Amino acid sequence: MKTLRMSPEELLRYFREKVEEGDQLELNYAFVHVPGEVVKITRYRLHLYVESEVAPGIRRYDLEDICSMMLEVVHKPKAGEPVKIVVEGTDESPSMNIL
C-alpha cells in the first residue's frame, strides 16, 4: 500500500478529486476510527455508510471540518491500489464538545 503525506488542505483536494461513490474509506481522527463505504460525495459533504454493531448507518461529514481533524485515511478505490494518507499539521487534540 502506497503511503502519502498531506496537509489538511491537500486532503480536502484529494477527497474532491479522487474519492468516488462505492470506494471504501477508513477515517482516523481524534480518538475515532470509522471504516465505511462512500455512499455520496459532493464538493462539501461526505456520506459514509458505516457497518457497526453499535451505531450502523450513514454518517455525514462536512469535508472542510473533517479534513482539519483527520490524522490518517485509508482509501480503497473500487479500481486501483489502496492508499494510506498521513495528515500532517492537524490539531491532534480537537475539542470533543462534551459539557
Side-chain angles (χ1 to χ4, degrees), residues 69-85:
M69 294 186 293
M70 200 63 56
L71 301 174
E72 183 180 281
V73 174
V74 176
H75 177 212
K76 299 174 185 172
K78 292 178 287 188
E81 293 295 316
V83 177
K84 178 179 179 179
I85 301 166

Side-chain angles (χ1 to χ4, degrees), residues 34 45-50 52 54-61:
V34 182
R45 191 161 307 274
L46 169 66
H47 300 253
L48 194 66
Y49 178 75
V50 178
S52 164
V54 177
I58 296 176
R59 303 286 173 263
R60 292 163 186 84
Y61 297 95

Side-chain angles (χ1 to χ4, degrees), residues 20-96:
E20 298 178 355
E21 294 174 10
D23 289 356
Q24 296 291 316
L25 290 176
E26 292 179 27
L27 307 178
N28 295 295
Y29 60 98
F31 307 103
V32 182
H33 173 252
V34 182
E37 180 178 329
V38 178
V39 175
K40 183 177 181 180
I41 186 164
T42 67
R43 182 164 171 76
Y44 301 102
R45 191 161 307 274
L46 169 66
H47 300 253
L48 194 66
Y49 178 75
V50 178
E51 290 186 32
S52 164
E53 292 180 16
V54 177
I58 296 176
R59 303 286 173 263
R60 292 163 186 84
Y61 297 95
D62 178 283
L63 281 176
E64 290 184 17
D65 287 345
I66 199 73
C67 286
S68 69
M69 294 186 293
M70 200 63 56
L71 301 174
E72 183 180 281
V73 174
V74 176
H75 177 212
K76 299 174 185 172
K78 292 178 287 188
E81 293 295 316
V83 177
K84 178 179 179 179
I85 301 166
V86 176
V87 184
E88 299 175 328
T90 59
D91 179 2
E92 295 185 20
S93 57
S95 167
M96 296 302 289

Side-chain angles (χ1 to χ4, degrees), residues 9-26:
E9 295 80 16
E10 291 169 323
L11 178 62
L12 178 60
R13 188 172 33 251
Y14 180 90
F15 272 125
R16 289 177 173 166
E17 295 174 1
K18 305 285 187 187
V19 176
E20 298 178 355
E21 294 174 10
D23 289 356
Q24 296 291 316
L25 290 176
E26 292 179 27

